[in-house]
Each structure stands twice: as structure tokens, then as C-alpha cells.
Amino acid sequence: MRKWFWYLLALLLAGLLAWGGYAVYAAYQGLKAKVAALEARVSAQEEAVKGLAERVGKLEEEVFKAPAPPLSLPEVPAGGGAPVWPYAVGVVAAALLLYLLLRLLRGYEAAKASAPTPNPEDLEASRMTEEGGPPPPSSR
């Protein structure tokens, strides 16, 4: 019985190897078909790109053959210009404000210079009367 067991085991192992080999071969054939399909797609896309490149080349030739004006700077449009009166009004208003400001400062300086300086004795007398003291003798 041992003799048959080893033969049966070898036969089973050979069957498994044959089945595994066939599975690998089928997978290889499937991959080979996929690669062929991809190669066909790439070649078709390559042909499409070549066709497009030819069309672009023809269009470039047509564009470069077409007459065109020489390259130069564009002409400046003759505009009427901006109105001047807002600037003139602004300058006059600024001059008037500056004049009034200087006149105000001059008047403040003149009023400050013409104001009498208080006498220290008068300040002391007024302070005394505010605090309730008798009026100074010179004012009676």
C-alpha cells in the first residue's frame, strides 16, 4: 500500500503542477491580449497626434503667408483732455483757506500782544476780595 501511496501522491502533484502551469499560461495569454490592445490604442492615438500636427503646421504656414501690417506702436488717440476748471477752483480755494488761516493767526498774535499784562498787586487784591477780605485802600 505504501507503493501505491507514493505513486498516487506523485500523480496528484503532477496534476497540481499541470493545473498551475495552465493557469499561469492563461494569465500570460490574457496579459498578452491586454498589451496588444494597449499597443493598438497607442498607435491609433499616435496617428491622431500626427494628423493634428500636420493640420497645425498647415495653419501656421497659412498664418505666416498672410499679409500683415508691420509691427509698430499703436497710435495715441487724440483726446480732448480733462477740464481745467476743477483744478483752478481747487487752487483758488486752497489759497483762500491759507489766507484766512494766516489772518486768523495774525489776529491771535495781535490780540495777545495788545492784551494788558495784569499787575501783580491787582492780582493779589482781587484774590483777597474773592476770599472775603477787605478791599484795598486805593480802590476806595
Side-chain angles (χ1 to χ4, degrees):
M1 179 135 164
R2 286 188 166 185
K3 190 176 180 185
W4 291 84
F5 178 71
W6 290 112
Y7 288 125
L8 185 61
L9 187 62
L11 185 62
L12 183 64
L13 186 60
L16 283 174
L17 283 174
W19 181 74
Y22 177 75
V24 168
Y25 177 74
Y28 172 72
Q29 289 298 326
L31 288 175
K32 193 175 179 183
K34 284 183 182 179
V35 168
L38 287 174
E39 285 177 351
R41 282 180 55 192
V42 167
S43 65
Q45 288 177 353
E46 184 178 331
E47 291 300 320
V49 168
K50 284 181 183 177
L52 287 174
E54 288 176 12
R55 287 180 60 192
V56 168
K58 288 178 184 176
L59 285 174
E60 283 179 349
E61 287 177 13
E62 289 179 21
V63 166
F64 287 128
K65 287 180 183 178
L71 295 177
S72 63
L73 293 175
E75 294 182 21
V76 178
V84 178
W85 67 268
Y87 298 111
V89 169
V91 167
V92 169
L96 181 64
L97 287 174
L98 184 62
Y99 170 74
L100 291 175
L101 180 67
L102 289 176
R103 189 168 177 190
L104 179 69
L105 289 176
R106 228 183 251 164
Y108 177 71
E109 292 292 326
K112 192 175 181 183
S114 67
T117 57
N119 192 359
E121 293 175 1
D122 291 339
L123 285 176
E124 188 175 333
S126 66
R127 188 177 53 118
M128 287 176 63
T129 54
E130 287 175 3
E131 291 177 359
S138 61
S139 64
R140 282 187 197 179

